[in-house]
Structure formats: C-alpha cells, structure tokens
C-alpha cells in the first residue's frame, strides 16, 4: 500500500515497485487508505506512507494504526521534512525525501525478503 499525495511521485513509486512484482494499492490520503484497510480484512505486507498527506490522518498516524493491525508488516514513512525518530511508531523505517528510486526499492526488498539482493537490469 502506498500513500502519497504528490501526483508525480505516486505513479513513479507504483512503477518502481511493480518492477519487484509488488501488488499495489495506492491512495492520495491516509484517510482513504484507512477506509480501505477497515473495509477489508486481507493482509497487507507493506505500507509506504508520506507523513504530510492531506486529510484528518497523517501518514505517521496511519503507520501507527497499520502496525497495530499487522505488527509484523513492514512500514516505511517518508517526508520532505526531517522527522524525529522518536515520533515514529516502533519498527517503522524512515526515508527522508528526496530519495533515489533504487534506495526505495532496496529498502522494500530488504524488508520483505531479508537476505535477497535485488538485481537491477
């Protein structure tokens, strides 16, 4: 699951993660993502959420709710602003923007498949 309100970055993230055969659902708000999570009971192995998305919930608040529902799932919070690690839920990876595409993919692969290196073409 990707939560990102930047209209350029969101499709880019979807494309990058499609390269590692991820099945992706994407939202522009944490509120929309939370609605999706509460409507379905299917497992979600990864959340990537921008901290500063519009709506009632921040990406970090969504990350905390996500970790409560699926404590073993991987969570990445991104932001263009520096966030204090103490403000992040336990076990959440923080990735400050701007980040390189390869950096995001490497983190996702490391979180979802520990010990397996992603081979770029």
């Amino acid at each position: 699951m990707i939560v990102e309100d930047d209209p350029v970055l969101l499709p880019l993230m979807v494309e990058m993660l499609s390269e590692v055969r991820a099945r992706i659902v994407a939202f522009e708000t944490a509120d929309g993502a939370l609605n999706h999570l509460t409507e379905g009971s299917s497992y979600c192995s990864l959340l990537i959420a921008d901290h500063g998305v519009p709506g009632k919930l921040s990406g970090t608040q969504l990350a905390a709710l996500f970790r409560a529902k699926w404590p073993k799932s991987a969570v990445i919070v991104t932001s263009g602003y520096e966030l204090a690690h103490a403000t992040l839920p336990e076990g959440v990876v923080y990735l400050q923007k701007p980040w390189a595409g390869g950096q995001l993919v490497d983190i996702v692969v490391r979180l979802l498949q520990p010990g397996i290196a992603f081979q770029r073409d």
Side-chain angles (χ1 to χ4, degrees), residues 59-119:
T60 302
Q61 290 168 321
L62 177 64
L65 295 169
F66 188 89
R67 293 289 293 179
K69 183 168 179 153
W70 294 300
K72 295 188 187 275
S73 291
V75 179
I76 301 169
V77 170
T78 66
S79 179
Y81 302 97
E82 189 169 340
L83 299 177
H85 289 279
T87 64
L88 298 172
E90 185 177 338
V92 170
V93 174
Y94 173 60
L95 182 60
Q96 187 167 355
K97 294 177 182 177
W99 39 260
Q103 184 182 14
L104 176 65
V105 172
D106 287 344
I107 291 170
V108 168
V109 170
R110 188 181 77 226
L111 289 171
L112 297 180
Q113 298 178 343
I116 297 175
F118 175 64
Q119 299 294 321

Side-chain angles (χ1 to χ4, degrees), residues 30-61:
D31 301 335
L34 180 61
N35 288 339
H36 177 78
L37 291 173
T38 56
E39 290 172 0
S41 60
S42 62
Y43 177 75
C44 186
S45 59
L46 172 69
L47 168 67
I48 303 171
D50 179 26
H51 170 74
V53 290
K56 294 179 183 176
L57 285 176
S58 71
T60 302
Q61 290 168 321

